[in-house]
Amino acid sequence: MTSAREEAVRATSTRDVTEWWSTAVSDIEPGSIRLRGYPVQDLISGAGFAETVWLMVLGELPDKAQAALLEKALVAAVDHGPQAPSIAAARMAATCGVGLHGAMSTGVGLLGDVHGGAGQQCMELLGQLRAESEKDGLETAVAKTLTDFRSRRQHIPGFGHRFHPRDPRRDPLLEAVADQAAAGVVEGRFLAVARELERQLAAGRAKPVPMNIDGATAVVYAELGFPPELGRGLFILSRSVGILSHAWEERQSGRRIKGPIPPPLLPAYTGASERPVPQP
């Protein structure tokens, strides 16, 4: 060992080592597990999964109404069929011998900015509009934002759906938020912003552009006080259930190395026709 390394060892105390990964999330000792200070056996007996998710990421237990609203959003985003890239990739991976852990990580790994990020983006937009509406008024703030998005030819995250004329998950989620706003559980400010966005997006169109699952869950998570990045994390947590179930189903089929299209079909080829290799 060099003198520099020996000096580093002498200068590092046991406390330095134990505090290197210090955490306020969990406290583990022999025979004892405490999550945010609560003994795990008490959480097992007295808290549901949604309540525990809230506790782990925000640090305190929610009340029953908050937990119920969170659970609705988690349930709503669980799955959207095998045509969703994250699900399809997990199913293909499951036929390649990587096990459930590999199939799930493959599916989750596809949940990026384009496929999986719209909820976070919508939360960021709702927060921006809420702040701007305090000085300009909600209708004006939304109108300015829509003009800006249209000038850049960008779509509004969380609105419209490539498959559903009206996302069936929208109404029950927004109704639940409205109910909790009326009860004083949440403020309802983000709900108002999202509804004004929806109203102005539909203006002058033959077909409206209603909120999709990303927009509706963005409203829920924003109303409950989750930061936008955690909103994406919650979506990934929710969709992991669908990824798990599809990967497990595919494993049970016994099919090996299942590609994106069934044989004997082959992808369309658009390159050069067959040609000889030039001879020296």
Side-chain angles (χ1 to χ4, degrees), residues 18 36 42 46 49 59 63 73 108 112 163-164 174 201 221 235 265 274:
T18 60
R36 299 287 190 180
D42 295 345
F49 185 64
D63 62 34
V108 168
F163 187 79
H164 302 292
L174 296 192
L201 275 170
Y221 295 145
F235 171 78
L265 296 178
E274 185 173 326

Side-chain angles (χ1 to χ4, degrees), residues 48-62:
F49 185 64
E51 291 169 300
T52 304
V53 169
W54 183 301
L55 170 69
M56 293 296 283
V57 296
L58 294 185
E60 298 293 341
L61 282 167

Side-chain angles (χ1 to χ4, degrees), residues 133-181:
S133 69
E134 292 179 356
K135 60 177 181 178
D136 296 332
L138 179 55
E139 187 172 340
T140 299
V142 169
K144 286 181 178 178
T145 294
L146 288 182
T147 298
D148 179 54
F149 269 76
R150 286 165 177 159
S151 70
R152 291 184 279 119
R153 298 183 178 274
Q154 289 184 320
H155 75 281
I156 302 295
F159 291 81
H161 203 285
R162 60 184 173 79
F163 187 79
H164 302 292
R166 186 179 182 86
D167 195 316
R169 299 162 290 189
R170 172 205 179 277
D171 291 353
L173 288 177
L174 296 192
E175 288 167 6
V177 174
D179 289 343
Q180 295 306 326

Side-chain angles (χ1 to χ4, degrees), residues 65-182:
Q66 291 171 323
L69 191 53
L70 172 60
E71 185 165 9
K72 290 179 188 300
L74 292 173
V75 169
V78 158
D79 188 19
H80 197 250
Q83 78 280 3
S86 55
I87 301 291
R91 294 191 73 118
M92 282 191 285
T95 70
C96 295
V98 298
L100 279 178
H101 72 286
M104 289 188 70
S105 63
T106 297
V108 168
L110 265 64
L111 296 175
D113 289 342
V114 175
H115 174 43
Q120 176 181 345
Q121 295 155 14
C122 187
M123 288 179 72
E124 291 167 349
L125 177 60
L126 294 178
Q128 172 191 327
L129 283 170
R130 175 178 172 172
E132 292 176 355
S133 69
E134 292 179 356
K135 60 177 181 178
D136 296 332
L138 179 55
E139 187 172 340
T140 299
V142 169
K144 286 181 178 178
T145 294
L146 288 182
T147 298
D148 179 54
F149 269 76
R150 286 165 177 159
S151 70
R152 291 184 279 119
R153 298 183 178 274
Q154 289 184 320
H155 75 281
I156 302 295
F159 291 81
H161 203 285
R162 60 184 173 79
F163 187 79
H164 302 292
R166 186 179 182 86
D167 195 316
R169 299 162 290 189
R170 172 205 179 277
D171 291 353
L173 288 177
L174 296 192
E175 288 167 6
V177 174
D179 289 343
Q180 295 306 326

